[in-house]
Amino acid sequence: MLMYPDADIPVCQLSVQPDRDAAYHYNLGRALAPLREEGVLVLGSGSATHNLRKMGPSGSPPPQWASDFDTWLKDSLLGGRYDDVNRYEEKAPNAKTAHPRPEHLYPLHVALGAAGDESKAELIHSSWTNASLSYASYRFTAKN
């Protein structure tokens, strides 16, 4: 709505499969990658950290577990360590605390897969709400 207020682009919603793993969603994105050549925008909507049971008051600093996961995710994406991101449950600090259920992180894997192996990540927004919810946003573009 904010990006295209005239609603003049076609939209097709894709549901994540919480019973599958991150690699499955990355590969799903890879299957969508050829659509880029047709001008299709693949947009993943989720949250860099998402644990509703650990929310705090707005304006509070993020707890260490959330900050550590968010920093790891940022460093992994910006550093091109996409395989680590696909294996976040074993590689990331506090992965299970940051994402007790994976459905809010899997859209990132779809978008990452659609961007392709030679993509470059860029952090385009970073904010927190309720202390522990990170809304870090990334754009993936072709490497120069």
Side-chain angles (χ1 to χ4, degrees):
M1 184 175 74
L2 296 175
M3 291 173 62
Y4 299 98
D6 294 333
D8 57 353
I9 61 164
V11 175
C12 177
Q13 185 173 343
L14 180 71
S15 297
V16 296
Q17 306 298 311
D19 58 323
R20 301 293 189 113
D21 64 5
Y24 170 87
H25 290 87
Y26 177 82
N27 289 326
L28 179 62
R30 288 189 67 173
L32 298 173
L35 294 174
R36 288 187 327 228
E37 302 303 319
E38 298 178 32
V40 174
L41 171 67
V42 176
L43 181 71
S45 174
S47 184
T49 60
H50 195 273
N51 187 332
L52 298 181
R53 291 191 170 116
K54 298 225 179 245
M55 289 191 316
S58 286
S60 298
Q64 193 67 48
W65 62 265
S67 179
D68 287 350
F69 183 89
D70 190 65
T71 298
W72 175 88
L73 183 62
K74 178 182 73 172
D75 291 347
S76 296
L77 289 170
L78 299 183
R81 297 192 315 270
Y82 302 155
D83 187 53
D84 285 355
V85 175
N86 285 335
R87 297 170 52 209
Y88 79 95
E89 289 180 300
E90 62 188 74
K91 295 283 192 172
N94 308 302
K96 198 64 174 169
T97 305
H99 286 279
R101 296 190 37 84
E103 62 268 15
H104 294 278
L105 190 60
Y106 284 168
L108 172 75
H109 294 92
V110 175
L112 180 57
D117 293 332
E118 295 300 314
S119 65
K120 179 181 183 230
E122 174 188 359
L123 179 67
I124 59 172
H125 174 82
S126 181
S127 66
W128 293 85
T129 189
N130 296 99
S132 63
L133 300 178
S134 168
Y135 292 127
S137 300
Y138 297 89
R139 172 176 37 213
F140 301 101
T141 57
K143 288 183 182 174
N144 294 334

